[in-house]
Amino acid sequence: MSSSSPTPAKAAKPVAIAQILFSQGFGTRRHCAALVEHGLVSVAGELVEDPRQAFDTAGLVFEVEGQAWPYHEKALILLHKPAGYECSRKPSHHPSVFSLLPEPLRNRDIQPVGRLDEDTTGLLLLTDDGPLQHKLTSPKYHVPKLYQASCKAELDEGQLRRLVEGVLLEERNPKLAEEPVRAVSAERLPDGRLQMALTEGRYHQAKRMVAAVGNRVLALHRQRIGALDLPAELPSGGWIWLDEHQRELAMTDPASASGSA
């Protein structure tokens, strides 16, 4: 019997530049071809003149009208959401968070990973990676989201304990109304604000939980998803691409991450 060695993985087939532009949200196929034909696209400082010219997409950075764009098969964006924006492509009363992104990203089918209320600020992920979005939002994966809340009054130890032990919320679904919701942790920060980690994503959950213990949220901010923190240097309204390491951090329990460090 002859032994067989593993078959090496095939290299990705080079892709035509017009198709690359189309996949990255730069418009229709015809418009993307026109961008190339009008001398508006370059790779590694060299003008691309043929829409059919193919490139390896691994690590590819191209320029459109002088703006550098990294190729991402699946987009994963971190946005520092300001107050006054809705997490919807069809907002009702306020501007959409998508208006804070450049047009190519708006053209891609990216969706918020769990919505933040109009008046809630902080870390918002957006992606067109369906399996990743499911892992980050489904309660069965227990990905904690860390919130900081300014409340009408400082929460006392009894209120903090109740948040962790579980409170009942009014729900349209009778089964949900009978299931206590619990914070993974709840503590009072030195400035008096509440810091609370949640793994579920019920409607207005943080605000309703605080109301259930006899208090009221005045301002709410999301600081962390998994072990991924909102970068301190990212201004309100700013956004960044996330790399593979940051993607993994978003799916990591910060307790296990610190325990293995």
Side-chain angles (χ1 to χ4, degrees):
M1 180 182 295
S2 61
S3 60
S4 58
S5 58
T7 303
K10 291 183 179 180
K13 184 179 179 180
V15 180
I17 188 64
Q19 175 61 29
I20 289 172
L21 296 177
F22 174 72
S23 72
Q24 301 301 288
F26 282 87
T28 65
R29 295 179 190 276
R30 179 174 295 181
H31 179 71
C32 290
L35 287 173
V36 178
E37 291 166 350
H38 285 84
L40 300 175
V41 179
S42 60
V43 174
E46 296 292 330
L47 198 64
V48 182
E49 300 178 334
D50 184 352
R52 296 167 296 179
Q53 186 173 345
F55 295 89
D56 181 357
T57 56
L60 176 66
V61 178
F62 55 92
E63 291 188 359
V64 179
E65 298 186 78
Q67 175 76 44
W69 284 89
Y71 174 88
H72 290 273
E73 182 178 359
K74 294 293 183 181
L76 180 57
I77 299 298
L78 184 155
L79 172 71
H80 185 168
K81 180 188 175 296
Y85 286 82
E86 295 183 26
C87 292
S88 172
R89 286 188 178 272
K90 297 180 179 179
S92 301
H93 305 292
H94 303 274
S96 167
V97 292
F98 290 95
S99 68
L100 299 169
L101 301 175
E103 185 176 1
L105 284 178
R106 297 200 300 271
N107 290 341
R108 295 182 68 154
D109 189 27
I110 59 173
Q111 302 295 331
V113 179
R115 298 191 175 194
L116 294 179
D117 298 337
E118 168 270 322
D119 57 349
T120 300
T121 63
L123 194 164
L124 179 67
L125 298 181
L126 302 105
T127 187
D128 54 6
D129 187 333
L132 174 62
Q133 186 170 54
H134 177 68
K135 288 181 180 179
L136 290 173
T137 55
S138 174
K140 74 176 184 178
Y141 291 101
H142 305 290
V143 176
K145 286 83 174 176
L146 188 68
Y147 295 87
Q148 296 166 347
S150 299
C151 300
K152 185 175 181 181
E154 289 190 16
L155 277 75
D156 59 34
E157 294 302 320
Q159 291 172 314
L160 294 172
R161 185 171 58 253
R162 286 179 61 195
L163 290 172
V164 175
E165 292 175 347
V167 296
L168 294 174
L169 303 179
E170 292 186 8
E171 301 282 5
R172 293 182 179 180
N173 186 330
K175 290 185 178 180
L176 286 178
E178 296 172 0
E179 298 175 0
V181 289
R182 299 176 176 86
V184 177
S185 62
E187 61 180 319
R188 190 170 52 248
L189 296 172
D191 61 7
R193 290 182 301 155
L194 166 68
Q195 180 162 279
M196 178 168 62
L198 306 174
T199 56
E200 294 185 66
R202 296 197 194 183
Y203 180 70
H204 290 174
Q205 183 176 335
K207 295 176 181 178
R208 293 164 67 207
M209 288 181 69
V210 171
V213 300
N215 212 313
R216 182 160 64 92
V217 170
L218 302 179
L220 187 64
H221 177 85
R222 183 158 68 191
Q223 177 59 31
R224 181 190 302 153
I225 293 179
L228 178 66
D229 273 291
L230 179 68
E233 68 277 8
L234 186 65
S236 178
W239 67 275
I240 56 172
W241 291 99
L242 295 188
D243 59 25
E244 188 61 30
H245 173 65
Q246 292 165 315
R247 182 183 188 275
E248 293 301 318
L249 282 178
M251 295 187 290
T252 303
D253 187 328
S256 63
S258 60
S260 61

